[in-house]
Amino acid sequence: LEGTTWESPGVTLTFNYSFATLKIGNYSDDYSYSVRANLVTMVPIYNFDRANLSGKISVSGDKMTITNLSSNEIVSILIKK
């Protein structure tokens, strides 16, 4: 995932070598992440009041559904850029 960017209107998720940056509108947070098969688990690095997130990558590899693990709600469906 390193070096990839995923987007939907108003939402951008960028994976760097050691962390991911999620931007929703004017809000931005960094997450550590781990990948197992097509599942990405993201844990906030600085703002511990933020929820842990899960990203499920589609079989085709071009979509990622981000889910808030606290509420089990879908945050966004992102398209790989």
Side-chain angles (χ1 to χ4, degrees), residues 15-76:
F15 289 93
N16 300 303
Y17 177 71
S18 57
F19 63 93
T21 301
L22 177 65
K23 294 180 182 175
I24 300 175
N26 293 329
Y27 145 89
S28 177
D29 260 326
D30 293 332
Y31 291 79
S32 62
Y33 69 94
S34 61
V35 183
R36 194 173 81 215
N38 67 331
L39 292 176
V40 184
T41 302
M42 294 172 273
V43 178
I45 297 174
Y46 306 111
N47 293 325
F48 300 113
D49 58 329
R50 303 283 188 214
N52 292 353
L53 303 173
S54 173
K56 185 175 184 184
I57 300 171
S58 64
V59 173
S60 60
D62 62 344
K63 287 185 187 173
M64 185 186 306
T65 302
I66 305 294
T67 304
N68 176 323
L69 291 176
S70 297
S71 64
N72 212 27
E73 291 180 34
I74 292 176
V75 174
S76 188

